[in-house]
């Protein structure tokens, strides 16, 4: 077995993640998707630093538009919710301002390939993510070289080809425990069979597609972009880049995908620098009245 970096850090994360799912399933039973969402929230809470809030619910814009329904990771230091004394009760859904959102995760206990009409289909999960990303596009952009959201950006000619053109993109992912074909009872356990199906996946292409799709414990798709129009070569990136020709890298990482999910997540949100919350707009609205 290959020795991975930092004394098998990714493998250890994956093993702990999987064991935690097994432990929690003894409590919840995972009969419904909600229980799986709660389990993922509990695992994320034990993994992420406390500055990152975790809840289930909706992202909301200044005008009141909402999207989502699954797991949101937000800045709870700067953007508190009213759930002050009960932050680990993930059964209650919250409304989080788009300016406060780091990441959104669609959690599916069993994700279905080959069936576009199922609510558990991969395409339906992707559609939910798109709505989130489209709504978060409304928030003011923080420049690559802007040291503080309250100050103007330093101007220079440095280019970052494999990163977004602003510092506050949203990272999105889909995570599932099992993969099935056409219906939930037809689960696929062979990682190679899942891999073949993913190459013919029925995912609508969009600039708002999720960055990462975890298909069980050994298969995943990761976003990237081509270098030129010939599409002969490309590179995988941590964020989808709307100004590039994007693709999904299709991979097998036996028993490692849950650790990769956590690594992708913390890598992405470590890059993100959120902008200002429009407190002034809220105050001025009252003053004008």
């Amino acid at each position: 077995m290959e020795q991975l970096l930092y004394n098998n850090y990714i493998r250890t994360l994956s093993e702990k993640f999987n064991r935690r799912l097994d432990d929690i399933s003894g409590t919840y039973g995972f009969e419904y998707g909600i229980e799986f969402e709660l389990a993922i929230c509990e695992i994320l809470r034990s993994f992420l630093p406390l500055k990152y809030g975790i809840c289930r619910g909706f992202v909301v814009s200044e005008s009141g538009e909402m999207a989502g329904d699954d797991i949101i990771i937000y800045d709870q230091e700067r953007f508190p919710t009213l759930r002050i004394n009960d932050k680990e009760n993930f059964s209650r859904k919250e409304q989080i301002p788009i300016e406060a959102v780091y990441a959104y995760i669609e959690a599916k206990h069993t994700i279905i390939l080959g069936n576009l009409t199922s609510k558990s289909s991969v395409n339906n999960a992707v559609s939910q993510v798109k709505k989130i990303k489209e709504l978060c596009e409304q928030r003011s952009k923080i420049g690559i070289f802007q040291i503080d959201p309250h100050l103007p950006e330093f101007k220079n000619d440095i280019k970052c080809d494999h990163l977004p053109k602003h510092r506050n993109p949203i990272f999105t992912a889909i995570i599932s425990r099992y993969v099935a074909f056409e219906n939930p009872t037809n689960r696929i356990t062979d990682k190679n069979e899942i891999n073949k199906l993913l190459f013919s996946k029925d995912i609508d292409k969009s600039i708002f597609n999720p960055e990462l799709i975890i298909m069980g414990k050994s298969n995943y798709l990761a976003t990237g972009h081509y270098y030129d129009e010939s599409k002969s070569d490309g590179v995988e990136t941590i964020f989808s880049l709307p100004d590039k020709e994007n693709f999904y890298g299709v991979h097998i990482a036996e028993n490692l995908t849950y650790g990769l999910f956590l690594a992708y997540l913390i890598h992405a949100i470590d890059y993100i620098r959120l902008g200002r919350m429009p407190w002034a707009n809220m105050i001025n609205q009252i003053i004008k009245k």
Side-chain angles (χ1 to χ4, degrees):
M1 185 179 293
E2 180 187 1
Q3 175 77 12
L4 301 178
L5 294 177
Y6 295 96
N7 198 21
N8 288 312
Y9 187 67
I10 295 291
R11 181 171 287 115
T12 300
L13 281 179
S14 289
E15 290 171 352
K16 288 182 177 180
F17 194 108
N18 208 34
R19 283 199 300 269
R20 188 68 181 128
L21 279 181
D22 289 339
D23 291 342
I24 296 173
S25 67
T27 302
Y28 292 124
F30 290 159
E31 295 179 6
Y32 305 99
I34 292 174
E35 282 76 7
F36 184 63
E37 291 176 28
L38 295 174
I40 298 299
C41 286
E42 289 186 22
I43 292 171
L44 290 174
R45 182 66 288 157
S46 66
F47 172 73
L48 291 174
L50 291 178
K51 68 172 286 187
Y52 301 111
I54 300 162
C55 71
R56 295 169 58 245
F58 308 89
V59 303
V60 58
S61 70
E62 185 175 302
S63 65
E65 294 177 82
M66 293 197 301
D69 196 22
D70 275 21
I71 301 169
I72 300 167
I73 297 171
Y74 65 98
D75 187 343
Q76 69 177 2
E77 288 186 342
R78 294 174 58 217
F79 309 116
T81 69
L82 295 179
R83 193 179 58 176
I84 298 171
N85 297 317
D86 198 15
K87 292 187 178 296
E88 295 188 6
N89 179 9
F90 301 113
S91 61
R92 175 180 171 181
K93 292 191 176 181
E94 297 282 344
Q95 293 184 21
I96 304 298
I98 56 175
E99 288 82 5
V101 178
Y102 281 106
Y104 176 78
I105 300 159
E106 274 282 318
K108 300 289 185 186
H109 185 243
T110 301
I111 202 161
I112 298 176
L113 300 173
N115 184 343
L116 295 177
T117 61
S118 171
K119 288 186 177 180
S120 297
S121 71
V122 63
N123 210 50
N124 183 66
V126 169
S127 296
Q128 290 295 103
V129 168
K130 289 177 184 176
K131 293 174 185 176
I132 293 285
K133 295 184 86 168
E134 287 172 352
L135 195 56
C136 286
E137 271 292 295
Q138 296 183 18
R139 62 191 186 187
S140 298
K141 305 295 189 295
I142 298 301
I144 290 286
F145 304 102
Q146 191 169 345
I147 62 172
D148 186 280
H150 298 272
L151 298 174
E153 181 180 10
F154 289 112
K155 300 298 181 182
N156 59 65
D157 297 324
I158 299 174
K159 294 183 179 180
C160 301
D161 289 336
H162 305 315
L163 289 170
K165 293 181 178 179
H166 56 284
R167 285 300 299 269
N168 59 332
I170 177 176
F171 177 80
T172 57
I174 299 168
I175 184 169
S176 64
R177 195 177 191 197
Y178 298 110
V179 180
F181 184 69
E182 293 186 342
N183 65 76
T185 60
N186 189 21
R187 284 183 184 167
I188 311 169
T189 57
D190 187 322
K191 61 183 182 297
N192 295 305
E193 185 179 352
I194 294 172
N195 197 58
K196 289 178 183 177
L197 287 170
L198 292 177
F199 274 106
S200 59
K201 58 190 178 299
D202 37 27
I203 299 177
D204 295 333
K205 188 176 180 181
S206 166
I207 60 172
F208 297 118
N209 276 28
E211 279 73 18
L212 184 69
I213 305 178
I214 301 296
M215 310 290 281
K217 63 182 180 180
S218 296
N219 298 84
Y220 74 101
L221 296 92
T223 193
H225 70 82
Y226 296 106
Y227 287 126
D228 52 47
E229 294 181 358
S230 69
K231 298 183 182 180
S232 58
D233 197 11
V235 61
E236 290 185 12
T237 53
I238 196 67
F239 293 101
S240 297
L241 304 177
D243 58 330
K244 305 283 187 179
E245 182 68 30
N246 292 291
F247 65 85
Y248 276 124
V250 181
H251 301 284
I252 296 175
E254 190 167 7
N255 298 321
L256 293 176
T257 57
Y258 295 142
L260 281 168
F261 162 69
L262 294 174
Y264 264 87
L265 175 62
I266 197 69
H267 180 27
I269 63 180
D270 187 50
Y271 168 83
I272 296 169
R273 298 293 180 268
L274 294 175
R276 289 184 292 176
M277 183 73 177
W279 297 114
N281 294 357
M282 298 183 220
I283 294 168
N284 288 335
Q285 183 184 33
I286 304 301
I287 292 174
K288 288 176 182 178
K289 285 186 178 182

